[in-house]
Amino acid sequence: MENRERPEPAEETFAQVLAALKDEYGASDSEIARRIGAHVSTVNNWGHGKANPRPAAVRKIAAEFPKFTEARLFAALGKRPPAPLSADERSEVLDVLDRLTEEQRRMLLIQARAVADSNE
């Protein structure tokens, strides 16, 4: 049976993609850090393969350096990109949350965070 939970192994590492991004844009670790609101040592660790960025940082990188898509950046991490919410989906989610009790909302958020964290 085919496993659909995990994407195929990455063809390039995040460090390799980051090096390509730096070459393409002529950007330094300092510039990348400044543009995404990260510490330069964090970007340096990504570049040396010592750490990987969290999804929020990946999205910021893709937004600041659009030649490097979320799909490519997440693939280099061996992950699938989180699906964007349309305006209608966002409205529907908020409508459901508005109908929950405070306790139900807390429980649902705990569950949702656990599922989202499994992507990191």
Side-chain angles (χ1 to χ4, degrees), residues 4 20 23 43 52 57 62 84 92 94 99 103 110:
R4 296 189 185 273
D23 286 346
V43 176
N52 285 320
E92 182 179 4
L94 292 175
R99 297 184 345 234
E103 181 180 359
I110 289 168

Side-chain angles (χ1 to χ4, degrees), residues 53-95:
R54 294 183 182 262
V58 173
R59 285 187 213 97
K60 288 179 183 178
I61 293 167
E64 288 293 321
F65 302 94
K67 292 179 184 175
F68 289 77
T69 64
E70 283 188 20
R72 181 177 180 188
L73 294 168
F74 277 105
L77 295 170
K79 299 179 184 285
R80 292 185 178 135
L85 283 176
S86 69
D88 288 342
E89 290 169 324
R90 185 174 302 278
S91 178
E92 182 179 4
V93 168
L94 292 175
D95 180 56

